[in-house]
Amino acid sequence: MAFKVLPIEKVKPPAHPARTVDDEDTFQELIASIQSLGIIVPLTVRRDGEEYEVVAGHRRYLAAQVLKLPTLPCYIRDVDETTMHILRLSENIIRQHLDPLDEAQYYNYLMEEQGMSQAGIAQMIHKDPSHVSRRLSLLDMSDKLKEAVRQGDVSPSVAVELARIPVERQDY
């Protein structure tokens, strides 16, 4: 792993970010922090032709773009697709709460597009396979219930139970 300060135009966002929803307040806090202190934790990137793809640090990358920073501190890692996804999930699950539906969508992407199994994903993130299965079940529930999970009104475990009730009777 090498460390290098890269021109921001040489860095591109991840093709499949783990996070699709972000709390605007915490994102603004990140922007303010970077504006006053700089980027404290370098991004992790991998080479992609003449450019670099963000492996970990997508929010820092977006904040740097908002601030029009000319360069980014980066660790450059030579990683394959599987390792990249392991790093991306680890960063998002450990560092900051990943929205349960984003987590489920990313697991679904790993299964459908990367050919991984639920057991393989569970091993990768050091969780029980039932955790992956429960998260994936969130994708099959009503939009109303998904929104309640996103808003934090219903926990993922309660949502899984409520999803067993026919949609027309899901009045929590």
Side-chain angles (χ1 to χ4, degrees):
M1 176 167 51
F3 175 82
K4 192 171 185 181
V5 177
L6 297 171
I8 197 166
E9 65 270 4
K10 290 280 190 181
V11 180
K12 64 182 187 175
H16 299 282
R19 186 182 307 276
T20 60
V21 175
D22 197 12
D23 180 300
E24 185 61 29
D25 290 338
T26 61
F27 184 63
Q28 291 302 319
E29 289 171 8
L30 176 62
I31 290 170
S33 172
I34 291 173
Q35 189 168 29
S36 66
L37 302 172
I39 296 177
I40 298 169
V41 178
L43 287 72
T44 301
V45 298
R46 71 177 187 158
R47 188 175 292 279
D48 185 16
E50 296 296 315
E51 296 180 313
Y52 297 87
E53 178 184 7
V54 174
V55 172
H58 185 217
R59 292 177 71 240
R60 283 170 273 157
Y61 169 78
L62 294 173
Q65 282 189 313
V66 169
L67 293 168
K68 299 183 185 328
L69 298 182
T71 60
L72 296 168
C74 298
Y75 291 116
I76 302 169
R77 296 198 55 176
D78 182 22
V79 295
D80 60 20
E81 284 288 311
T82 301
T83 305
M84 178 191 65
H85 293 301
I86 291 169
L87 292 169
R88 190 167 290 149
L89 275 173
S90 294
E91 161 112 335
N92 283 287
I93 291 173
I94 294 167
R95 287 185 147 252
Q96 184 179 13
H97 172 70
L98 182 62
D99 178 86
L101 288 162
D102 281 349
E103 185 180 348
Q105 289 169 338
Y106 200 70
Y107 294 163
N108 191 57
Y109 161 77
L110 291 175
M111 291 172 60
E112 291 187 4
E113 301 297 325
Q114 300 298 317
M116 296 183 74
S117 66
Q118 286 185 25
I121 295 168
Q123 183 178 13
M124 178 174 82
I125 61 170
H126 307 290
K127 299 260 186 186
D128 191 84
S130 64
H131 170 83
V132 175
S133 178
R134 285 190 308 272
R135 282 299 192 254
L136 287 166
S137 69
L138 297 175
L139 298 176
D140 296 327
M141 59 183 58
S142 70
D143 289 342
K144 183 178 179 183
L145 200 46
K146 285 179 186 177
E147 186 58 28
V149 171
R150 281 211 194 274
Q151 296 300 318
D153 296 333
V154 176
S155 73
S157 58
V158 170
V160 168
E161 295 302 316
L162 288 172
R164 294 181 180 167
I165 301 169
V167 174
E168 62 275 1
R169 297 187 65 207
Q170 288 181 12
D171 187 22
Y172 52 90

Short mmCIF file of all heavy atoms in Angstrom, two decimals, residues 129-168:
data_model
loop_
_atom_site.label_atom_id
_atom_site.label_comp_id
_atom_site.label_asym_id
_atom_site.label_seq_id
_atom_site.Cartn_x
_atom_site.Cartn_y
_atom_site.Cartn_z
N PRO A 129 -24.68 -15.78 8.96
CA PRO A 129 -25.44 -15.77 7.70
C PRO A 129 -26.89 -15.31 7.86
O PRO A 129 -27.46 -14.73 6.94
CB PRO A 129 -25.36 -17.22 7.22
CG PRO A 129 -24.10 -17.75 7.83
CD PRO A 129 -24.00 -17.06 9.17
N SER A 130 -27.48 -15.54 9.03
CA SER A 130 -28.86 -15.10 9.25
C SER A 130 -28.96 -13.58 9.21
O SER A 130 -30.00 -13.03 8.83
CB SER A 130 -29.41 -15.64 10.57
OG SER A 130 -28.68 -15.12 11.66
N HIS A 131 -27.90 -12.86 9.58
CA HIS A 131 -27.90 -11.40 9.50
C HIS A 131 -28.07 -10.96 8.05
O HIS A 131 -28.88 -10.09 7.74
CB HIS A 131 -26.60 -10.82 10.07
CG HIS A 131 -26.44 -9.36 9.82
ND1 HIS A 131 -27.02 -8.41 10.61
CD2 HIS A 131 -25.77 -8.69 8.84
CE1 HIS A 131 -26.73 -7.20 10.13
NE2 HIS A 131 -25.96 -7.35 9.05
N VAL A 132 -27.32 -11.58 7.16
CA VAL A 132 -27.40 -11.25 5.73
C VAL A 132 -28.79 -11.58 5.21
O VAL A 132 -29.41 -10.78 4.50
CB VAL A 132 -26.31 -11.98 4.93
CG1 VAL A 132 -26.46 -11.73 3.43
CG2 VAL A 132 -24.92 -11.56 5.41
N SER A 133 -29.30 -12.74 5.58
CA SER A 133 -30.62 -13.17 5.12
C SER A 133 -31.71 -12.20 5.60
O SER A 133 -32.59 -11.81 4.83
CB SER A 133 -30.91 -14.58 5.65
OG SER A 133 -32.19 -14.99 5.27
N ARG A 134 -31.64 -11.80 6.87
CA ARG A 134 -32.64 -10.85 7.41
C ARG A 134 -32.55 -9.50 6.70
O ARG A 134 -33.58 -8.90 6.38
CB ARG A 134 -32.46 -10.67 8.92
CG ARG A 134 -32.96 -11.84 9.74
CD ARG A 134 -32.99 -11.53 11.23
NE ARG A 134 -31.74 -11.01 11.76
CZ ARG A 134 -30.72 -11.74 12.21
NH1 ARG A 134 -30.82 -13.05 12.22
NH2 ARG A 134 -29.64 -11.17 12.68
N ARG A 135 -31.34 -9.03 6.45
CA ARG A 135 -31.19 -7.76 5.74
C ARG A 135 -31.78 -7.86 4.33
O ARG A 135 -32.50 -6.96 3.89
CB ARG A 135 -29.72 -7.34 5.64
CG ARG A 135 -29.16 -6.74 6.90
CD ARG A 135 -29.92 -5.47 7.28
NE ARG A 135 -29.24 -4.72 8.31
CZ ARG A 135 -29.63 -4.65 9.57
NH1 ARG A 135 -30.70 -5.30 9.98
NH2 ARG A 135 -28.97 -3.93 10.44
N LEU A 136 -31.50 -8.95 3.63
CA LEU A 136 -32.02 -9.11 2.27
C LEU A 136 -33.55 -9.16 2.26
O LEU A 136 -34.17 -8.68 1.32
CB LEU A 136 -31.45 -10.38 1.62
CG LEU A 136 -29.98 -10.27 1.21
CD1 LEU A 136 -29.42 -11.65 0.90
CD2 LEU A 136 -29.81 -9.32 0.03
N SER A 137 -34.14 -9.68 3.32
CA SER A 137 -35.61 -9.75 3.37
C SER A 137 -36.23 -8.36 3.44
O SER A 137 -37.40 -8.19 3.08
CB SER A 137 -36.08 -10.62 4.54
OG SER A 137 -35.80 -9.99 5.77
N LEU A 138 -35.46 -7.35 3.85
CA LEU A 138 -35.98 -5.99 3.88
C LEU A 138 -36.34 -5.49 2.48
O LEU A 138 -37.21 -4.64 2.32
CB LEU A 138 -34.95 -5.03 4.50
CG LEU A 138 -34.57 -5.26 5.95
CD1 LEU A 138 -33.45 -4.30 6.36
CD2 LEU A 138 -35.77 -5.10 6.87
N LEU A 139 -35.68 -6.02 1.48
CA LEU A 139 -35.92 -5.57 0.11
C LEU A 139 -37.29 -5.97 -0.41
O LEU A 139 -37.79 -5.38 -1.37
CB LEU A 139 -34.83 -6.10 -0.82
CG LEU A 139 -33.41 -5.64 -0.51
CD1 LEU A 139 -32.42 -6.32 -1.45
CD2 LEU A 139 -33.30 -4.13 -0.58
N ASP A 140 -37.91 -6.97 0.22
CA ASP A 140 -39.19 -7.49 -0.26
C ASP A 140 -40.40 -6.87 0.43
O ASP A 140 -41.52 -7.28 0.18
CB ASP A 140 -39.23 -9.02 -0.07
CG ASP A 140 -38.18 -9.72 -0.90
OD1 ASP A 140 -37.88 -9.22 -2.00
OD2 ASP A 140 -37.65 -10.74 -0.44
N MET A 141 -40.19 -5.90 1.29
CA MET A 141 -41.33 -5.35 2.02
C MET A 141 -41.92 -4.13 1.30
O MET A 141 -41.36 -3.64 0.33
CB MET A 141 -40.94 -5.02 3.45
CG MET A 141 -39.83 -4.04 3.61
SD MET A 141 -39.34 -3.76 5.33
CE MET A 141 -38.91 -5.38 5.87
N SER A 142 -43.04 -3.68 1.78
CA SER A 142 -43.74 -2.55 1.16
C SER A 142 -42.89 -1.28 1.25
O SER A 142 -42.05 -1.14 2.13
CB SER A 142 -45.08 -2.31 1.86
OG SER A 142 -44.86 -1.79 3.18
N ASP A 143 -43.16 -0.35 0.35
CA ASP A 143 -42.44 0.93 0.35
C ASP A 143 -42.68 1.69 1.65
O ASP A 143 -41.78 2.35 2.17
CB ASP A 143 -42.86 1.79 -0.84
CG ASP A 143 -42.33 1.24 -2.16
OD1 ASP A 143 -41.38 0.42 -2.14
OD2 ASP A 143 -42.87 1.64 -3.21
N LYS A 144 -43.90 1.59 2.17
CA LYS A 144 -44.24 2.28 3.42
C LYS A 144 -43.38 1.75 4.57
O LYS A 144 -42.85 2.52 5.37
CB LYS A 144 -45.72 2.07 3.72
CG LYS A 144 -46.21 2.79 4.96
CD LYS A 144 -47.70 2.58 5.16
CE LYS A 144 -48.19 3.27 6.42
NZ LYS A 144 -49.61 3.02 6.66
N LEU A 145 -43.21 0.45 4.62
CA LEU A 145 -42.41 -0.16 5.68
C LEU A 145 -40.92 0.16 5.48
O LEU A 145 -40.20 0.44 6.44
CB LEU A 145 -42.65 -1.67 5.70
CG LEU A 145 -42.29 -2.42 6.97
CD1 LEU A 145 -42.79 -1.73 8.22
CD2 LEU A 145 -42.84 -3.84 6.90
N LYS A 146 -40.47 0.16 4.23
CA LYS A 146 -39.07 0.53 3.94
C LYS A 146 -38.80 1.95 4.43
O LYS A 146 -37.76 2.22 5.02
CB LYS A 146 -38.79 0.43 2.44
CG LYS A 146 -38.65 -0.97 1.92
CD LYS A 146 -38.39 -0.93 0.42
CE LYS A 146 -38.39 -2.32 -0.17
NZ LYS A 146 -38.22 -2.29 -1.64
N GLU A 147 -39.72 2.85 4.15
CA GLU A 147 -39.54 4.24 4.57
C GLU A 147 -39.51 4.35 6.10
O GLU A 147 -38.74 5.14 6.65
CB GLU A 147 -40.64 5.13 3.99
CG GLU A 147 -40.46 6.60 4.24
CD GLU A 147 -39.14 7.18 3.72
OE1 GLU A 147 -38.57 6.66 2.74
OE2 GLU A 147 -38.66 8.15 4.33
N ALA A 148 -40.33 3.56 6.76
CA ALA A 148 -40.34 3.57 8.23
C ALA A 148 -38.99 3.11 8.78
O ALA A 148 -38.49 3.65 9.77
CB ALA A 148 -41.47 2.70 8.76
N VAL A 149 -38.38 2.13 8.11
CA VAL A 149 -37.05 1.66 8.52
C VAL A 149 -36.02 2.76 8.27
O VAL A 149 -35.20 3.07 9.12
CB VAL A 149 -36.66 0.36 7.78
CG1 VAL A 149 -35.21 0.00 8.03
CG2 VAL A 149 -37.58 -0.79 8.21
N ARG A 150 -36.09 3.37 7.09
CA ARG A 150 -35.13 4.45 6.74
C ARG A 150 -35.22 5.60 7.73
O ARG A 150 -34.21 6.20 8.09
CB ARG A 150 -35.40 4.98 5.34
CG ARG A 150 -34.85 4.11 4.25
CD ARG A 150 -34.45 4.95 3.05
NE ARG A 150 -34.23 4.14 1.89
CZ ARG A 150 -33.08 3.56 1.59
NH1 ARG A 150 -32.07 3.68 2.40
NH2 ARG A 150 -32.96 2.83 0.50
N GLN A 151 -36.42 5.92 8.18
CA GLN A 151 -36.62 7.04 9.11
C GLN A 151 -36.29 6.66 10.55
O GLN A 151 -36.27 7.52 11.42
CB GLN A 151 -38.07 7.55 9.02
CG GLN A 151 -38.44 8.13 7.68
CD GLN A 151 -37.59 9.32 7.31
OE1 GLN A 151 -37.29 10.17 8.13
NE2 GLN A 151 -37.17 9.37 6.06
N GLY A 152 -36.10 5.37 10.80
CA GLY A 152 -35.81 4.92 12.15
C GLY A 152 -37.05 4.74 13.01
O GLY A 152 -36.96 4.55 14.21
N ASP A 153 -38.24 4.79 12.38
CA ASP A 153 -39.48 4.61 13.12
C ASP A 153 -39.73 3.15 13.47
O ASP A 153 -40.44 2.86 14.43
CB ASP A 153 -40.67 5.14 12.30
CG ASP A 153 -40.58 6.63 12.06
OD1 ASP A 153 -39.95 7.33 12.88
OD2 ASP A 153 -41.13 7.10 11.05
N VAL A 154 -39.17 2.25 12.66
CA VAL A 154 -39.32 0.81 12.87
C VAL A 154 -37.94 0.20 12.74
O VAL A 154 -37.22 0.49 11.77
CB VAL A 154 -40.29 0.19 11.83
CG1 VAL A 154 -40.36 -1.31 11.98
CG2 VAL A 154 -41.67 0.80 11.93
N SER A 155 -37.55 -0.64 13.69
CA SER A 155 -36.24 -1.28 13.61
C SER A 155 -36.27 -2.34 12.50
O SER A 155 -37.34 -2.87 12.16
CB SER A 155 -35.89 -1.94 14.94
OG SER A 155 -36.67 -3.11 15.13
N PRO A 156 -35.12 -2.67 11.93
CA PRO A 156 -35.08 -3.70 10.89
C PRO A 156 -35.66 -5.04 11.36
O PRO A 156 -36.38 -5.70 10.61
CB PRO A 156 -33.59 -3.83 10.57
CG PRO A 156 -33.02 -2.51 10.92
CD PRO A 156 -33.81 -2.05 12.11
N SER A 157 -35.40 -5.43 12.60
CA SER A 157 -35.91 -6.72 13.07
C SER A 157 -37.43 -6.71 13.19
O SER A 157 -38.10 -7.68 12.84
CB SER A 157 -35.27 -7.11 14.41
OG SER A 157 -35.51 -6.12 15.38
N VAL A 158 -38.00 -5.60 13.65
CA VAL A 158 -39.46 -5.49 13.72
C VAL A 158 -40.04 -5.43 12.31
O VAL A 158 -41.07 -6.05 12.02
CB VAL A 158 -39.88 -4.25 14.55
CG1 VAL A 158 -41.38 -3.98 14.43
CG2 VAL A 158 -39.50 -4.45 16.02
N ALA A 159 -39.38 -4.74 11.42
CA ALA A 159 -39.85 -4.64 10.04
C ALA A 159 -39.91 -6.01 9.37
O ALA A 159 -40.86 -6.30 8.63
CB ALA A 159 -38.94 -3.71 9.23
N VAL A 160 -38.93 -6.85 9.65
CA VAL A 160 -38.94 -8.21 9.08
C VAL A 160 -40.19 -8.95 9.55
O VAL A 160 -40.85 -9.64 8.77
CB VAL A 160 -37.65 -8.97 9.46
CG1 VAL A 160 -37.76 -10.45 9.14
CG2 VAL A 160 -36.45 -8.36 8.74
N GLU A 161 -40.52 -8.80 10.83
CA GLU A 161 -41.73 -9.45 11.35
C GLU A 161 -42.99 -8.85 10.74
O GLU A 161 -43.91 -9.57 10.37
CB GLU A 161 -41.77 -9.38 12.88
CG GLU A 161 -40.66 -10.15 13.57
CD GLU A 161 -40.65 -11.62 13.20
OE1 GLU A 161 -41.72 -12.26 13.17
OE2 GLU A 161 -39.54 -12.13 12.93
N LEU A 162 -43.05 -7.52 10.66
CA LEU A 162 -44.22 -6.87 10.07
C LEU A 162 -44.39 -7.24 8.60
O LEU A 162 -45.52 -7.32 8.11
CB LEU A 162 -44.11 -5.34 10.21
CG LEU A 162 -44.30 -4.78 11.61
CD1 LEU A 162 -43.97 -3.29 11.62
CD2 LEU A 162 -45.72 -5.01 12.09
N ALA A 163 -43.29 -7.47 7.91
CA ALA A 163 -43.36 -7.80 6.48
C ALA A 163 -44.04 -9.15 6.24
O ALA A 163 -44.51 -9.42 5.14
CB ALA A 163 -41.97 -7.81 5.87
N ARG A 164 -44.11 -9.96 7.26
CA ARG A 164 -44.79 -11.26 7.13
C ARG A 164 -46.30 -11.10 7.07
O ARG A 164 -47.01 -12.00 6.66
CB ARG A 164 -44.39 -12.18 8.29
CG ARG A 164 -42.93 -12.55 8.24
CD ARG A 164 -42.56 -13.46 9.36
NE ARG A 164 -41.14 -13.77 9.25
CZ ARG A 164 -40.43 -14.34 10.18
NH1 ARG A 164 -41.00 -14.68 11.32
NH2 ARG A 164 -39.16 -14.59 10.00
N ILE A 165 -46.76 -9.93 7.51
CA ILE A 165 -48.20 -9.63 7.46
C ILE A 165 -48.51 -9.19 6.03
O ILE A 165 -47.74 -8.46 5.42
CB ILE A 165 -48.54 -8.49 8.45
CG1 ILE A 165 -48.16 -8.90 9.88
CG2 ILE A 165 -50.00 -8.10 8.36
CD1 ILE A 165 -48.21 -7.75 10.87
N PRO A 166 -49.66 -9.60 5.48
CA PRO A 166 -49.99 -9.15 4.12
C PRO A 166 -49.94 -7.62 4.03
O PRO A 166 -50.32 -6.91 4.97
CB PRO A 166 -51.43 -9.66 3.94
CG PRO A 166 -51.54 -10.83 4.87
CD PRO A 166 -50.66 -10.48 6.05
N VAL A 167 -49.48 -7.11 2.88
CA VAL A 167 -49.24 -5.67 2.68
C VAL A 167 -50.45 -4.83 3.08
O VAL A 167 -50.32 -3.81 3.75
CB VAL A 167 -48.84 -5.38 1.21
CG1 VAL A 167 -48.75 -3.90 0.96
CG2 VAL A 167 -47.51 -6.06 0.90
N GLU A 168 -51.64 -5.26 2.69
CA GLU A 168 -52.84 -4.46 2.99
C GLU A 168 -53.12 -4.36 4.49
O GLU A 168 -53.89 -3.51 4.92
CB GLU A 168 -54.05 -4.98 2.24
CG GLU A 168 -54.47 -6.39 2.57
CD GLU A 168 -53.72 -7.47 1.79
OE1 GLU A 168 -52.84 -7.14 0.97
OE2 GLU A 168 -53.99 -8.66 2.01
#
